[in-house]
Amino acid sequence: MYTLDEALWPLVIVQRGDTTTDPEMESLLQSLSKLIKRREPYVLVIDFSRSRPLTHSQRMMLADHQTQHADLARDYCKGFFVVINSATARLARAVTSFIRPSTDQHEVVSSLDEALERSAVRFEQAGVHMGAFIARAHARRLKAGVAPSSASARHD
């Protein structure tokens, strides 16, 4: 299961639960395609901190999606952060990325807080100052324990 939250646009946060089925993965990729096709600058954060790794078939679906959308994503995705809080999982991802480089140019970070701060910096670099404001405000809300918005799409 995953939750895709666009309520903070142009900041988009995807949070994965324990596992994701292939149909859920297909749905997520369709949602990501729609984001890219908006042709507006955005930053994507995918939080894997509470999930198991993707299956081989899901990694292949993701790789195909990245290849199909690489040009538009380069133009509009101003930052792509993947939150992985396990050192072992980060190492495995680094090895995999070295063997088969990804076309999406994501950065692996260890916490959602780090992803939000880096998102703010990317927004500033892209001249999207409202995005930077939104990312930092969301980080402050999370630190204060305020519940996230309810305008997210849950797919399970």
Side-chain angles (χ1 to χ4, degrees), residues 29-39 65 69:
L29 295 175
Q30 288 174 0
S31 295
L32 294 176
S33 294
K34 289 177 186 173
L35 294 177
I36 295 167
K37 290 177 182 175
R38 282 184 176 190
R39 296 177 183 262
H65 180 269
H69 296 89

Side-chain angles (χ1 to χ4, degrees), residues 104-156:
D104 64 19
Q105 302 300 313
H106 67 274
E107 291 182 48
V108 175
V109 296
S110 60
S111 69
L112 183 56
D113 189 52
E114 181 182 0
L116 292 171
E117 180 52 37
R118 288 190 182 197
S119 296
V121 170
R122 287 295 182 88
F123 278 128
E124 289 169 343
Q125 291 170 341
V128 184
H129 300 290
M130 182 52 76
F133 174 80
I134 289 168
R136 289 193 174 105
H138 188 59
R140 284 191 301 275
R141 281 193 301 273
L142 291 177
K143 285 179 186 175
V146 177
S149 72
S150 60
S152 57
R154 182 177 170 152
H155 300 267
D156 46 12

